Amino acid sequence: MTSDRRPGRPRSETARRAILSAAMEELQQHGYAALTVEGIAARAGVGKQTIYRWWPSKADVVLDSLLDLAAERITVPDEGSLPADLVAFLTETFEQRGQRPVLIGLMAQALLDPVFATAFRDRFLFGRRAALREILDRAIARGEIAPDVDPELLIDVVYGVLWYRLLLDHAPLDAAAGRQLASLVVRAVR
Amino acid sequence: MTSDRRPGRPRSETARRAILSAAMEELQQHGYAALTVEGIAARAGVGKQTIYRWWPSKADVVLDSLLDLAAERITVPDEGSLPADLVAFLTETFEQRGQRPVLIGLMAQALLDPVFATAFRDRFLFGRRAALREILDRAIARGEIAPDVDPELLIDVVYGVLWYRLLLDHAPLDAAAGRQLASLVVRAVR
Amino acid sequence: MTSDRRPGRPRSETARRAILSAAMEELQQHGYAALTVEGIAARAGVGKQTIYRWWPSKADVVLDSLLDLAAERITVPDEGSLPADLVAFLTETFEQRGQRPVLIGLMAQALLDPVFATAFRDRFLFGRRAALREILDRAIARGEIAPDVDPELLIDVVYGVLWYRLLLDHAPLDAAAGRQLASLVVRAVR
Amino acid sequence: MTSDRRPGRPRSETARRAILSAAMEELQQHGYAALTVEGIAARAGVGKQTIYRWWPSKADVVLDSLLDLAAERITVPDEGSLPADLVAFLTETFEQRGQRPVLIGLMAQALLDPVFATAFRDRFLFGRRAALREILDRAIARGEIAPDVDPELLIDVVYGVLWYRLLLDHAPLDAAAGRQLASLVVRAVR
DNA sequence: TGTTAAACGAGACGGTACGTCACGTCTTGGA
DNA sequence: TCCAAGACGTGACGTACCGTCTCGTTTAACA
């Protein structure tokens, strides 16, 4: 067994955390459009180079902040029936108050930068899809979903509505909306 | 009846068209992220001021280009039944090949700039929603949609899936996808 | 006869002067080593790009400042005899108090940057040499300089001593030093 | 008698020599302007700290390299007469081909950094002056120099011409130039 | 048929942030 | 204690665009 340390001064965990926090604070206060690498560095008390050394863009910093925060929070309910699972999952998912600035900022960046888009999909969005897929797979096993319904389309419907409302901000995004959508989905798969 | 002419040299229609074309060409060639006002002006053979005189931002130029192109193309099918209408509407809507760079660019801008977001919603997105709403209202009148189904949620489902796939680019966006979604919606509203 | 104006907004004379003054002030206060383009721009109330648009480097700004100031000051004495001319020329030339920071800064830059070195030679140093050459040519015509003495070497001697003392700062650089050198040169050319 | 050893690991002579060589190689290849501490360290296979531990700046490294190389080479001729000594000294001194990049780099640094300027003067330039002074003192003892001629000024003349040509690079710097200057000096001191 | 006034092209302007470079210092494990 | 390695805070670099401004020129309606 050998030491897995690389030579040289190790990466500063203090700086890493200061950067992630600073990014979230700047974002919450001034919005994603006003977010700058220089601003993050200044607030974190860190050199710009320390940011560029570890993250290819400011969006990747924000994504890491989000993943750090959301790490523990993905819970897949297992209530025994599709309607119960869906309501539990969607009411929780739809109550992402405060996350809107983060999510639309990341999405904006993903739309402008294909490289980041891949990271965003793989590290964030696809994880959420997998959680929902688990619920649907259990429902399929129980025979709660008609065999001619494509579960991937159902996932698109659920997250489509979520993101569409997140982006347009034209309709409420809360537990009630989650319940309403859950009931529509249940109706559609019979 | 009065002359609506203002004194001075009138706005140049030539310049206007050159700007809209240049914007679309730049966008198609280099993507929205690389679009700059200076680039548009240079390609159009126009001074920057001429752009700023008539549009508040480059996104508004692109939106105008899009609306110019799409002006005639919003047709609301009326086939006599919800399934037929939906299939007609969605197969056409989902076949927007080539429009993706424009649409995701505008959406990115809308996410970053709340002022433009309003313009984008009011001048583009809500128009699309209204078309679908017309179809649904006719179906409701015919009794094809259960009374406890909120048509606005149905619209969110349809455009949610459309935009979600447009943004993520993880699943096909074509006539087949349109038909699949149409059949799911029909199933859900019974 | 046509207007020789180029199209577009003309160069701002105000900005030009503000930049040259700011450069000289910064240089006098903090020295050439601490001179930065950002510092000049900030003090002049000007964007950095306005400096880069017109000067390839900060050294060229300083050189322009120097030439602006020194424009009128090159006077070639004509007293009728080599000793008198030399004393007049050297006492004046050697009394360049306050210019030392400027001159050694420019020389340092010229040593580090061959492109600027050419500009410095052609626009400043060779002009000084030409003035002395005029004096020597008159002396040659009068037969005051032995024919086997190369006037270019004499110029090197005079400016060599000047610059060597400027650079090393090990010996006085004043009117007395000028007189002493003048008498040595006169002695050498007999 | 005590051991002059300090505790701990002794300084690595290997590293010292690698640093001096690397500095000279970088300088000869890319010029002084492109010389960096990081570049020297990388080429020498040495940590940056090892350089900073022993030298205050990169210029001091180069100065040490130069002094290492030039250690043995200062020879003061003693031919019995001023003209012979001067010709011998100047022809040798002026033939410093290959040294130009080193010398102008060090001079540039000295002009920008007063601390290094002192080191450069004391450790390099004044040693050269002393050699010439020895020759002149012998000539004074022999009565070859008129008593009203300041030998320090003569030294300034000689090194002034040398450095002025080194800096401007406008005239040859070779044995012939050395002989020409020697004959002018001899003429001037009669 | 000139006068008036706004739009036009060109491009310079004061700014902001970018991503990079090198500085000189600090912090590891190993010699 | 020194060494190689390399991360750190710092600060300036030169560039790209922003949105505004100031030129001389063009183009129409009005006088």
Side-chain angles (χ1 to χ4, degrees):
Chain A
M1 195 195 288
T2 75
S3 168
D4 57 351
R5 274 217 169 277
R6 312 217 320 289
R9 180 176 177 174
R11 176 173 183 182
S12 160
E13 180 60 20
T14 308
R16 189 186 143 271
R17 270 201 297 264
I19 290 165
L20 296 183
S21 304
M24 284 312 249
E25 290 165 24
E26 289 275 311
L27 203 158
Q28 300 288 353
Q29 285 177 22
H30 310 297
Y32 188 86
L35 195 64
T36 67
V37 174
E38 294 196 334
I40 296 171
R43 181 187 279 257
V46 140
K48 277 201 288 179
Q49 195 65 219
T50 300
I51 297 181
Y52 284 113
R53 195 167 7 245
W54 302 109
W55 291 277
S57 79
K58 66 184 180 187
D60 295 86
V61 177
V62 175
L63 178 54
D64 266 16
S65 306
L66 177 63
L67 292 176
D68 254 35
L69 293 176
E72 64 280 0
R73 250 195 293 165
I74 329 174
T75 53
V76 183
D78 188 357
E79 313 266 342
S81 81
L82 178 60
D85 281 354
L86 268 184
V87 166
F89 186 77
L90 290 186
T91 52
E92 198 206 318
T93 301
F94 271 45
E95 269 185 329
Q96 296 183 331
R97 235 166 297 280
Q99 300 252 291
R100 187 173 184 264
V102 181
L103 294 176
I104 68 173
L106 290 175
M107 182 57 86
Q109 196 67 36
L111 297 182
L112 296 173
D113 173 1
V115 174
F116 176 70
T118 301
F120 187 44
R121 270 205 305 264
D122 295 347
R123 301 187 53 204
F124 183 77
L125 298 172
F126 284 173
R128 312 282 140 167
R129 291 179 68 89
L132 179 53
R133 180 71 201 233
E134 211 178 311
I135 291 173
L136 296 179
D137 281 344
R138 276 202 303 266
I140 290 170
R142 283 189 229 105
E144 291 178 291
I145 297 181
D148 60 336
V149 171
D150 179 0
E152 289 296 311
L153 178 58
L154 290 178
I155 297 174
D156 285 355
V157 165
V158 168
Y159 282 112
V161 170
L162 174 62
W163 274 101
Y164 186 67
R165 292 201 172 176
L166 215 40
L167 303 182
L168 258 66
D169 206 21
H170 69 296
L173 202 51
D174 53 17
R179 274 189 295 273
Q180 199 191 6
L181 179 57
S183 96
L184 188 77
V185 169
V186 169
R187 206 192 255 264
V189 300
R190 285 176 316 208
Chain B
M1 196 197 286
T2 76
S3 166
D4 57 353
R5 276 240 170 253
R6 312 216 313 287
R9 181 176 177 174
R11 177 173 184 181
S12 159
E13 180 60 19
T14 308
R16 188 186 146 272
R17 270 202 298 265
I19 290 165
L20 295 183
S21 304
M24 283 313 250
E25 288 165 24
E26 289 275 311
L27 204 160
Q28 300 288 354
Q29 285 177 20
H30 310 298
Y32 188 85
L35 196 64
T36 67
V37 174
E38 294 193 335
I40 297 170
R43 181 187 280 257
V46 141
K48 280 202 289 177
Q49 196 61 252
T50 302
I51 297 181
Y52 284 113
R53 195 164 10 241
W54 303 108
W55 292 276
S57 79
K58 66 183 179 188
D60 295 270
V61 177
V62 176
L63 179 54
D64 267 17
S65 306
L66 178 63
L67 292 175
D68 254 34
L69 293 175
E72 64 281 1
R73 249 196 293 164
I74 331 174
T75 53
V76 182
D78 188 358
E79 314 264 342
S81 81
L82 178 60
D85 281 355
L86 268 184
V87 165
F89 186 77
L90 290 186
T91 52
E92 198 205 317
T93 301
F94 271 44
E95 269 186 330
Q96 296 183 332
R97 234 166 297 280
Q99 300 254 289
R100 188 173 184 263
V102 181
L103 293 176
I104 69 174
L106 291 175
M107 182 57 87
Q109 196 67 36
L111 297 182
L112 296 173
D113 174 1
V115 174
F116 176 71
T118 303
F120 187 44
R121 271 204 305 264
D122 296 347
R123 301 187 53 204
F124 183 77
L125 298 172
F126 285 173
R128 310 283 140 166
R129 291 180 68 90
L132 180 53
R133 180 72 202 233
E134 211 178 309
I135 291 172
L136 295 180
D137 281 344
R138 276 201 303 264
I140 290 169
R142 283 189 228 106
E144 290 178 292
I145 296 181
D148 58 338
V149 171
D150 179 0
E152 288 297 311
L153 179 58
L154 290 178
I155 297 175
D156 285 354
V157 165
V158 168
Y159 281 112
V161 170
L162 172 63
W163 275 101
Y164 186 67
R165 292 201 173 176
L166 213 40
L167 303 183
L168 258 67
D169 206 20
H170 69 297
L173 203 51
D174 53 16
R179 274 189 294 274
Q180 197 190 8
L181 178 58
S183 97
L184 189 76
V185 169
V186 169
R187 205 191 253 266
V189 300
R190 282 178 315 211
Chain C
M1 196 196 285
T2 76
S3 168
D4 57 352
R5 274 214 170 276
R6 311 214 327 287
R9 180 176 177 173
R11 177 173 182 182
S12 161
E13 180 60 19
T14 308
R16 190 188 142 270
R17 271 201 296 265
I19 290 165
L20 295 183
S21 304
M24 284 312 249
E25 288 165 23
E26 289 275 310
L27 202 160
Q28 300 289 352
Q29 286 177 22
H30 309 299
Y32 188 86
L35 195 64
T36 66
V37 174
E38 293 195 335
I40 296 171
R43 182 188 278 258
V46 142
K48 278 202 287 179
Q49 197 68 60
T50 301
I51 297 182
Y52 285 113
R53 193 163 14 239
W54 302 109
W55 293 277
S57 78
K58 66 183 179 185
D60 296 86
V61 177
V62 176
L63 178 55
D64 267 15
S65 305
L66 178 63
L67 292 176
D68 255 34
L69 293 176
E72 64 281 0
R73 249 195 294 164
I74 330 174
T75 53
V76 183
D78 189 356
E79 314 266 342
S81 80
L82 178 60
D85 279 357
L86 268 184
V87 165
F89 186 77
L90 289 186
T91 52
E92 199 206 316
T93 301
F94 271 45
E95 269 186 328
Q96 295 183 332
R97 234 166 297 281
Q99 300 253 290
R100 187 173 183 264
V102 182
L103 294 176
I104 69 173
L106 291 175
M107 182 57 85
Q109 197 66 38
L111 297 182
L112 296 172
D113 174 0
V115 174
F116 176 70
T118 302
F120 187 42
R121 271 205 304 264
D122 295 348
R123 301 186 55 203
F124 183 77
L125 298 172
F126 285 172
R128 311 282 141 168
R129 291 180 68 89
L132 179 53
R133 180 71 203 235
E134 212 178 310
I135 291 172
L136 295 179
D137 282 344
R138 277 202 302 265
I140 290 168
R142 284 190 226 105
E144 290 178 292
I145 296 180
D148 58 338
V149 171
D150 178 0
E152 288 297 312
L153 178 59
L154 292 178
I155 297 175
D156 285 355
V157 165
V158 167
Y159 281 112
V161 170
L162 174 63
W163 274 101
Y164 186 66
R165 292 199 173 178
L166 215 40
L167 303 182
L168 258 67
D169 207 20
H170 68 297
L173 203 51
D174 54 15
R179 274 188 295 273
Q180 199 189 7
L181 179 57
S183 95
L184 189 77
V185 170
V186 168
R187 207 192 253 264
V189 300
R190 282 177 317 207
Chain D
M1 196 198 284
T2 75
S3 166
D4 57 354
R5 276 232 170 264
R6 312 220 309 291
R9 179 174 175 174
R11 177 173 183 181
S12 158
E13 179 61 18
T14 309
R16 188 185 146 273
R17 270 201 298 266
I19 290 165
L20 295 183
S21 305
M24 284 311 252
E25 287 164 24
E26 289 276 312
L27 203 159
Q28 301 288 353
Q29 286 177 22
H30 310 298
Y32 188 86
L35 196 64
T36 68
V37 173
E38 294 192 334
I40 297 170
R43 181 188 280 256
V46 141
K48 282 201 289 176
Q49 195 60 252
T50 303
I51 297 182
Y52 284 112
R53 201 171 357 251
W54 304 108
W55 292 275
S57 79
K58 66 184 178 188
D60 295 87
V61 177
V62 176
L63 179 54
D64 267 16
S65 306
L66 178 64
L67 292 175
D68 254 34
L69 293 177
E72 63 281 359
R73 250 199 288 165
I74 330 173
T75 53
V76 182
D78 188 357
E79 314 266 342
S81 81
L82 178 60
D85 280 356
L86 268 183
V87 165
F89 185 78
L90 290 186
T91 51
E92 198 205 318
T93 301
F94 270 45
E95 269 185 328
Q96 297 183 331
R97 236 167 296 279
Q99 300 254 288
R100 187 172 185 264
V102 181
L103 294 175
I104 69 174
L106 290 175
M107 182 58 85
Q109 196 66 37
L111 297 181
L112 296 174
D113 173 1
V115 173
F116 176 71
T118 301
F120 187 44
R121 272 205 304 263
D122 295 348
R123 301 186 55 203
F124 182 78
L125 298 173
F126 285 173
R128 311 282 140 166
R129 292 179 68 88
L132 180 53
R133 179 73 201 230
E134 210 178 311
I135 292 173
L136 295 180
D137 282 344
R138 276 202 303 265
I140 290 170
R142 282 189 229 106
E144 289 177 293
I145 296 180
D148 58 338
V149 171
D150 179 359
E152 289 296 312
L153 179 58
L154 291 178
I155 298 175
D156 284 356
V157 165
V158 168
Y159 281 113
V161 170
L162 173 63
W163 274 101
Y164 186 67
R165 292 200 173 176
L166 214 41
L167 303 182
L168 258 66
D169 207 20
H170 69 296
L173 202 52
D174 53 15
R179 274 190 294 274
Q180 198 190 7
L181 179 58
S183 95
L184 189 77
V185 170
V186 168
R187 205 192 255 265
V189 299
R190 282 176 317 206

